[in-house]
Amino acid sequence: MSMEEIYADSIKDPSKQPKKLLRKAYDGTIIAMSYAEILLNRAIKDFGTEQQVGFPDTAYHLPVITCLSGEKVTKLGELVPILNRMRNQVRTELTFDNARLWGESTLYAAEVIETVNYLRGEEPKTKPWTGFLGDPIVRKHGIKMVDWTIPGVAVILGRAKDSPSAKKIVDNLMGKGFMIFLCDEIIEQLLEENVKIGEDYIAFPLGNFTQIIHAVNYAFRAGLAFGGIPAGERENHRDYQRRRVRAFVLQFGERDDVKIAASMGAIFMGFPTVTDQPLSEDDQIPDWYISEPDYEKIVALAMEVRGIKLTNIEIPIPVNFGPAFEGESIRKGDMFVEMGGGRTTAYELVHMVGADEIVDGQVTVIGPELDSIPEGSKLPLGININVYGRKMQSDFEGVLERRIHYFANYGEGVWHVAQRDLCWVRVSKDARAKGFLMKHFGELLLAKLKQEFPAIIDRVEVTISTDQATVEAGLIRARARYQTRDDRMKSLTDESVEDFYSCLLCQSFAPNHVCVVSPERVGLCGAVSWLDAKASFEISPNGPNQPIPKGASLDDLKGMWQSTNDFVYKASNNTIEEVNLYTLMDKPMTSCGCFEAIMAIVPEVNGLMLTTREHSGMTPCGMTFSALAGTCGGGLQTPGFMGIGRTYLLSKKFIPADGGIARIVWMPKELKDFLRGQDFAQRAIDEGLGEDFLDKIADESVGTTVEEITAFLEENGHPCFDLEPLM
Ligand code: SF4
Ligand code: ZN
């Protein structure tokens, strides 16, 4: 069904247009347009038409305009004809069809207004208000929005009837795992109630009313970055928003005409508005603009009209649970108890056992519980998870074990980092005050494992020990298992296996993207190894990870097989004909949007550089991570650029066709530190580059321009100059 057909369904009798609402929306549009024109004219008077404009940290110019019309605005004067055009599309007849165009014009107006505000330095500068959200944030969190890791997006503006009600609604949404954008006084109301908001909670307090446009430009950039939809393809962008971004608007308190016009902008994108104001029938549009004064019902109704269903099961624990808490950190002062992280003995282990060695559904705690220790304690920790399943394989133990990290962090007030015998856990005072115990920690892991892996797990039993002697004994057993697994991993090479695996998970938002995952090349998100893909195929045989029987190769050095070509061609909707696994210069793998790092060539020094999602600064190829991601993301094959998972750098199959790691001339310090921890030195020795090769690679302390790094590379005898010419 096209978008226009969907709208047509809501007002079946064209003579029954909601005149009252449409009148206000029209008036609001005129006000918004005039206001934008006034601000723009004044700005031109003060700064001139040549004045550079733009938002910070984005490669997408003024994103709403970029998406909808394809115009890449960089100067103030360029906005004049754009705004004129938008004013000309405002027709006076009060119909729902026209209202969506008013909405579109209002979005343009809001973007112009905010552009001028940024030019004048009037954006919010104090925390927690965020203003414009840069591309790094879109890339980090936007993916959860379009791949539906989060169930939906709530844009809330206005002022709730009182602060406790505001808190209740936001708590409800957070508990369900929503991404939230906030505008207007509700932000103060939530702060008054000590609700935790900010990037860590994927609840963004944008600013005042016009800053709502930053939720809009965030959503549009997701279409560009993850959907691979070219700038200016207006209908495709709208379609992407409606299909992938499950958003709705909650409008609290007094409505003015401009707010109503802005709601038409949301409707133009496919997002309904629900308001808490009691409204007559001709002040509403069925399915799109509706009234629900009852705060107990408003969220459920908004979800219903946007078609959002929760698949999450209820877990019997006293704290909230969901991806909204994934980024939450627990500082020392907020912590009730701490375990592992070098402070105490700790480990976590998933172990496959026989059918008669397990009591399904049992959670046992051995040693002191949280209700018997003082605040600020440290405890040893042993997490033993026994699993049994007819289709379980010992190869999958590590796959399940790494999920502990995500599951644990989903708990509000529970924080987890690292893995195996390096794991580190904190529980907050808040969680403890709500009654959280280690038993609940076990319940949470048990429930999530069962929920996410029903195909390979039939029985789960969790034993948590906090008793020193028990933990120490368990640690010895755990280390023996880790060793066995590591030995097995070492024996897995691209040559030694029969099958590679596809990953099509990112096609939900990058429709032509295909990852080919081999034992020696992890998926570019870093989260899907060959073993993960294999396990996932067992879990859902028709799912995103399919075996690709390797067969004979066409090119050993570049890594091309007939089988992978055939698979990729079909899976990329006949867009990618050939792909090489071991080079970035010739038909490289496509890049979606969730790569951990990006490689790009630096032709001047015959080398290549890498930058990471964590590094926001400039790089020697003249682009930041965001700009690079804009160049090669969205499921494109871009020779000379490629997204990768970090651990691919440690692989013997790291672009051998291009000279391997010897090609690397620059990377951020942060990535160097990561590689040091992963024994990159051994890789360098194996390649005959010497154990100090990492020190020959430049980083941001050396410089971020080709000139700055060239001298450094020459002084340090970097091998790049002796390699075959890259191009
Ligand atoms: Fe799968 Fe590749 Fe997406 Fe990772 S980046 S989820 S491996 S398609
Ligand atoms: Zn991806």
Side-chain angles (χ1 to χ4, degrees):
M1 214 192 225
S2 79
M3 284 194 79
E4 292 311 316
E5 283 166 338
I6 292 168
Y7 295 118
D9 259 11
S10 55
I11 300 179
K12 292 193 180 64
D13 180 353
S15 68
K16 288 225 175 77
Q17 300 278 354
K19 289 285 188 280
K20 190 167 167 194
L21 182 70
L22 294 175
R23 160 63 52 200
K24 291 184 205 156
Y26 173 79
D27 291 345
T29 306
I30 298 299
I31 296 170
M33 295 303 293
S34 312
Y35 185 49
E37 273 165 19
I38 293 168
L39 288 191
L40 179 59
N41 288 337
R42 268 195 219 143
I44 288 175
K45 224 194 224 153
D46 294 348
F47 302 99
T49 51
E50 293 300 297
Q51 172 65 43
Q52 295 281 322
V53 290
F55 294 119
D57 276 336
T58 181
Y60 302 112
H61 307 93
L62 309 183
V64 173
I65 300 176
T66 303
C67 271
L68 291 175
S69 73
E71 287 151 306
K72 297 182 175 154
V73 174
T74 56
K75 291 180 192 151
L76 205 49
E78 291 163 357
L79 289 170
V80 175
I82 294 175
L83 211 48
N84 281 341
R85 189 177 72 230
M86 282 300 120
R87 189 183 254 274
N88 289 339
Q89 83 163 15
V90 177
R91 296 195 203 96
T92 49
E93 200 196 343
L94 301 182
T95 66
F96 185 34
D97 286 346
N98 282 342
R100 276 156 356 237
L101 297 177
W102 306 337
E104 184 184 24
S105 295
T106 306
L107 297 182
Y108 274 75
E111 191 158 76
V112 171
I113 292 167
E114 275 302 296
T115 303
V116 173
N117 282 345
Y118 265 80
L119 178 58
R120 294 192 183 275
E122 283 165 9
E123 75 279 7
K125 283 202 191 74
T126 48
K127 283 202 161 187
W129 286 266
T130 62
F132 182 85
L133 297 161
D135 293 350
I137 294 180
V138 175
R139 295 201 171 271
K140 187 159 156 217
H141 300 288
I143 216 115
K144 298 177 206 152
M145 173 171 86
V146 293
D147 76 1
W148 299 348
T149 305
I150 55 153
V153 181
V155 180
I156 312 180
L157 73 149
R159 178 183 178 81
K161 67 178 178 200
D162 52 52
S163 300
S165 309
K167 171 178 160 56
K168 211 166 156 197
I169 294 227
V170 168
D171 276 348
N172 178 355
L173 287 164
M174 281 186 168
K176 291 185 163 70
F178 270 69
M179 178 178 290
I180 302 170
F181 294 93
L182 302 155
C183 280
D184 274 350
E185 287 158 271
I186 182 146
I187 298 173
E188 281 89 355
Q189 291 183 307
L190 294 172
L191 292 174
E192 215 176 284
E193 295 291 316
N194 293 317
V195 178
K196 295 176 222 152
I197 49 179
E199 191 196 334
D200 286 350
Y201 303 91
I202 51 172
F204 302 103
L206 298 173
N208 64 24
F209 164 61
T210 50
Q211 271 135 13
I212 195 166
I213 198 64
H214 301 315
V216 175
N217 63 41
Y218 181 104
F220 271 131
R221 275 176 287 160
L224 287 165
F226 307 129
I229 301 168
E233 291 192 0
R234 174 176 179 263
E235 286 317 300
N236 286 333
H237 276 290
R238 287 176 77 193
D239 184 60
Y240 188 85
Q241 294 300 319
R242 186 184 61 78
R243 278 186 302 105
R244 296 305 319 174
V245 181
R246 293 169 154 174
F248 57 73
V249 179
L250 297 180
Q251 190 182 303
F252 290 136
E254 202 126 331
R255 303 172 312 148
D256 61 34
D257 293 352
V258 178
K259 284 183 177 165
I260 294 170
S263 281
M264 295 304 149
I267 294 169
F268 167 80
M269 296 170 76
F271 311 145
T273 294
V274 184
T275 160
D276 64 349
Q277 303 298 295
L279 300 179
S280 61
E281 215 165 280
D282 65 346
D283 215 357
Q284 302 186 53
I285 304 171
D287 299 338
W288 290 107
Y289 191 96
I290 45 185
S291 148
E292 179 49 77
D294 187 343
Y295 275 50
E296 298 292 326
K297 293 185 187 153
I298 195 164
V299 169
L301 179 71
M303 286 172 59
E304 201 182 298
V305 289
R306 188 64 186 100
I308 300 170
K309 292 199 178 67
L310 296 181
T311 47
N312 247 354
I313 45 161
E314 296 282 331
I315 301 174
I317 55 173
V319 295
N320 275 323
F321 183 84
F325 305 102
E326 205 184 337
E328 170 196 32
S329 55
I330 297 172
R331 279 174 269 282
K332 259 209 158 103
D334 300 328
M335 141 190 125
F336 180 81
V337 63
E338 180 167 38
M339 296 165 270
R343 288 146 177 87
T344 66
T345 319
Y347 71 91
E348 54 196 32
L349 180 72
V350 169
H351 194 180
M352 180 174 105
V353 299
D356 49 1
E357 297 172 83
I358 187 166
V359 185
D360 184 34
Q362 182 163 294
V363 176
T364 315
V365 177
I366 302 173
E369 245 306 358
L370 300 189
D371 54 3
S372 67
I373 57 164
E375 184 177 299
S377 300
K378 295 187 196 316
L379 284 178
L381 175 69
I383 304 172
N384 288 286
I385 303 180
N386 285 349
V387 298
Y388 162 77
R390 266 157 306 206
K391 297 187 82 183
M392 179 68 193
Q393 301 177 19
S394 54
D395 265 356
F396 301 161
E397 284 184 356
V399 173
L400 300 180
E401 200 173 282
R402 265 179 300 125
R403 301 299 292 170
I404 294 176
H405 172 68
Y406 297 95
F407 297 160
N409 277 323
Y410 275 17
E412 183 182 18
V414 183
W415 177 86
H416 179 285
V417 288
Q419 50 174 323
R420 292 191 169 179
D421 51 358
L422 297 172
C423 69
W424 183 7
V425 174
R426 284 177 173 175
V427 176
S428 75
K429 289 179 194 166
D430 265 3
R432 179 63 208 114
K434 289 178 183 157
F436 191 81
L437 296 169
M438 288 316 284
K439 182 178 168 52
H440 298 123
F441 190 86
E443 293 284 358
L444 191 163
L445 297 177
L446 187 135
K448 284 305 283 180
L449 280 166
K450 285 205 156 199
Q451 182 197 358
E452 293 212 3
F453 300 99
I456 50 169
I457 302 179
D458 299 321
R459 300 177 194 171
V460 186
E461 175 175 0
V462 181
T463 309
I464 308 250
S465 16
T466 56
D467 163 73
Q468 187 66 28
T470 317
V471 174
E472 276 171 22
L475 180 61
I476 294 170
R477 267 179 290 123
R479 284 190 174 146
R481 287 303 300 166
Y482 303 152
Q483 189 59 50
T484 313
R485 270 189 227 157
D486 289 347
D487 293 344
R488 159 92 177 126
M489 275 310 291
K490 283 209 186 93
S491 73
L492 282 177
T493 61
D494 286 6
E495 285 81 13
S496 74
V497 299
E498 300 285 316
D499 298 323
F500 290 163
Y501 284 87
S502 66
C503 189
L504 303 183
L505 214 58
C506 288
Q507 287 205 341
S508 52
F509 52 83
N512 299 332
H513 172 71
V514 186
C515 273
V516 178
V517 182
S518 72
E520 294 178 87
R521 183 165 179 182
V522 65
L524 51 79
C525 55
V528 180
S529 71
W530 184 83
L531 278 179
D532 292 310
K534 187 166 181 258
S536 143
F537 173 64
E538 288 299 328
I539 294 160
S540 53
N542 299 316
N545 301 105
Q546 296 293 317
I548 309 176
K550 212 172 51 174
S553 79
L554 299 176
D555 187 332
D556 280 327
L557 184 65
K558 288 185 177 172
M560 185 184 280
W561 289 261
Q562 189 60 49
S563 59
T564 47
N565 281 349
D566 292 346
F567 188 96
V568 169
Y569 183 64
K570 237 179 100 193
S572 67
N573 304 307
N574 305 350
T575 56
I576 311 287
E577 289 182 5
E578 293 183 314
V579 64
N580 282 311
L581 258 60
Y582 306 146
T583 170
L584 85 158
M585 296 307 292
D586 183 21
K587 306 183 174 102
M589 233 148 73
T590 54
S591 302
C592 44
C594 40
F595 25 73
E596 289 184 300
I598 300 182
M599 305 199 280
I601 52 168
V602 188
E604 297 88 339
V605 293
N606 197 32
L608 67 85
M609 51 143 284
L610 281 140
T611 186
T612 62
R613 188 174 293 277
E614 280 67 27
H615 182 71
S616 57
M618 190 38 81
T619 75
C621 73
M623 290 192 259
T624 59
F625 180 87
S626 294
L628 277 165
T631 306
C632 66
L636 302 175
Q637 204 170 30
T638 321
F641 299 87
M642 187 164 66
I644 59 165
R646 286 168 176 252
T647 55
Y648 182 44
L649 286 161
L650 298 155
S651 162
K652 287 196 192 70
K653 291 293 188 321
F654 176 74
I655 55 168
D658 307 328
I661 54 175
R663 241 350 137 177
I664 305 174
V665 296
W666 191 94
M667 67 172 72
K669 268 190 171 154
E670 175 267 329
L671 183 57
K672 283 189 174 176
D673 292 341
F674 168 81
L675 291 174
R676 275 197 193 95
Q678 303 283 323
D679 209 8
F680 186 76
Q682 188 57 50
R683 278 287 308 130
I685 294 169
D686 294 347
E687 296 283 312
L689 298 167
E691 68 176 327
D692 60 348
F693 173 60
L694 202 55
D695 301 324
K696 294 183 182 173
I697 299 174
D699 58 37
E700 67 271 29
S701 70
V702 174
T704 54
T705 63
V706 174
E707 294 70 41
E708 286 168 331
I709 67 169
T710 306
F712 174 88
L713 297 170
E714 282 167 353
E715 269 162 38
N716 286 278
H718 193 287
C720 62
F721 302 105
D722 303 326
L723 295 173
E724 277 189 31
L726 250 186
M727 36 199 301

